[in-house]
């Protein structure tokens, strides 16, 4: 007699960077994975190795999250492929483009809100609707520490993440026992090529914990929230304390 299937997680943007770290950690904890990508769903090399080592059940799905119909279809496709509704939805995918109050356009604002705020809510609603009353799915939004102490950089991005964070308690109340809604707010995790090595060390020393959080720190927190059956409506900052300090500019401009 076979046992119950493993719990299933849908991780948007789950094939690369922080999303891949979340996916890899869940695989090591025995979860099955639906990995979403914007234009492809090929996991990065390290995640491929983890999936092979763990033998995790997984499948990739491509969807344009700025399209609400594609969001609805994604949840349905995952459910159909695995034969069950995901137990966990990690809204990790995001649009991140630079603008300020002087360069902000209606198009940029709408594009960021579509992916960073609207899509997570649409995905959440479809998930809970399909789950019905037979299960209590968990939703974890990946936000950003800058929502606590914002500056004027990446304005459209910041505004959209602020909206996402503000949705957490509202959705938690609206859904009640039907679903648990939480968020993780990272700081600077995986610096891009724009950052120099000396700059990264300087930025790390500027954090209250005098270090930068690692991708696995985010993954561990996501997994905690997935398993914490009595936790809902919470925003957990995983940023080495960055949200406790106001930074006048985006990190990329600092510490040089």
């Amino acid at each position: 007699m076979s046992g119950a299937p493993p719990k299933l997680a849908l991780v948007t943007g789950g094939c690369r960077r922080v999303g891949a770290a979340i996916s890899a950690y869940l695989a090591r904890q025995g979860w099955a994975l639906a990995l979403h990508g914007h234009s492809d769903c090929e996991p990065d090399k390290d995640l491929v190795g983890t999936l092979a080592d763990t033998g995790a059940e997984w499948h990739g799905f491509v969807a344009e999250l700025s399209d609400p119909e594609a969001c609805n279809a994604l949840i349905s496709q995952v459910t159909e492929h695995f034969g069950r509704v995901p137990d966990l939805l990690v809204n990790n995918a995001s649009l991140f483009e630079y603008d300020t109050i002087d360069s902000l356009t209606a198009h940029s604002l709408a594009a960021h809100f579509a992916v960073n705020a609207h899509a997570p809510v649409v995905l959440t609603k479809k998930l809970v609707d399909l789950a019905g009353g037979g299960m209590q799915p968990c939703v974890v939004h990946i936000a950003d520490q800058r929502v606590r102490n914002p500056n004027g950089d990446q304005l459209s991005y910041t505004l959209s993440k602020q909206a996402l964070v503000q949705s957490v308690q509202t959705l938690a109340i609206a859904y009640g026992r039907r679903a648990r809604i939480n968020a993780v707010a990272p700081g600077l995790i995986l610096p891009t090529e724009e950052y120099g090595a000396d700059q990264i060390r300087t930025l790390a020393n500027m954090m209250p914990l005098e270090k930068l959080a690692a991708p696995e720190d985010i993954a561990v927190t996501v997994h905690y929230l997935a398993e914490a059956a009595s936790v809902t409506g919470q925003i957990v900052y995983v940023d080495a304390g960055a949200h406790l300090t106001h930074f006048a500019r985006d990190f990329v401009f600092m510490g040089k």
Side-chain angles (χ1 to χ4, degrees):
M1 182 177 179
S2 60
K7 291 183 178 180
L8 172 62
L10 167 58
V11 184
T12 67
C15 294
R16 298 182 180 90
R17 295 180 62 80
V18 172
I22 294 170
S23 300
Y25 189 85
L26 291 172
R28 290 194 293 271
Q29 304 308 310
W31 288 65
L33 295 169
L35 302 181
H36 158 267
H38 173 257
S39 56
D40 70 77
C41 49
E42 295 297 324
D44 69 19
K45 183 175 67 174
D46 289 342
L47 179 53
V48 168
T50 299
L51 294 172
D53 291 343
T54 60
E57 179 186 9
W58 74 278
H59 190 76
F61 300 85
V62 174
E64 173 52 72
L65 297 186
S66 64
D67 178 1
E69 293 305 316
C71 293
N72 285 326
L74 175 61
I75 300 293
S76 296
Q77 290 164 6
V78 171
T79 300
E80 181 178 359
H81 176 83
F82 286 93
R84 59 193 189 276
V85 178
D87 301 276
L88 170 65
L89 166 62
V90 183
N91 285 308
N92 167 75
S94 67
L95 178 63
F96 182 85
E97 294 180 353
Y98 186 81
D99 63 1
T100 66
I101 194 62
D102 293 320
S103 61
L104 180 146
T105 65
H107 174 77
S108 174
L109 191 63
H112 281 82
F113 267 77
V115 175
N116 298 348
H118 298 165
V121 175
V122 173
L123 289 165
T124 297
K125 176 171 170 48
K126 183 66 174 181
L127 172 69
V128 181
D129 286 349
L130 285 181
M135 60 181 292
Q136 184 189 66
C138 174
V139 177
V140 180
H141 301 319
I142 305 300
D144 193 301
Q145 64 81 27
R146 75 179 66 207
V147 302
R148 177 67 69 86
N149 280 308
N151 55 57
D153 292 320
Q154 288 95 15
L155 187 57
S156 292
Y157 169 83
T158 301
L159 290 169
S160 64
K161 288 294 186 178
Q162 287 173 322
L164 179 65
V165 163
Q166 289 299 313
S167 78
V168 171
Q169 290 187 349
T170 302
L171 290 174
I173 291 169
Y175 279 120
R177 66 179 303 276
R178 295 174 62 194
R180 294 189 300 108
I181 316 294
N182 296 289
V184 176
L188 180 60
I189 303 294
L190 287 172
T192 63
E193 293 179 354
E194 298 172 275
Y195 292 82
D198 289 341
Q199 181 186 12
I200 293 171
R201 285 190 289 270
T202 299
L203 290 170
N205 288 330
M206 293 170 65
M207 303 300 131
L209 291 182
E210 298 182 8
K211 67 175 185 176
L212 300 180
E216 186 159 299
D217 296 329
I218 308 303
V220 168
T221 309
V222 169
H223 183 252
Y224 160 74
L225 291 171
E227 299 288 355
S230 296
V231 177
T232 194
Q234 298 298 308
I235 297 96
V236 184
Y237 289 84
V238 186
D239 60 355
H243 71 284
L244 301 173
T245 303
H246 179 261
F247 297 98
R249 297 297 308 274
D250 183 76
F251 292 131
V252 74
F253 300 111
M254 300 178 62
K256 294 183 177 180

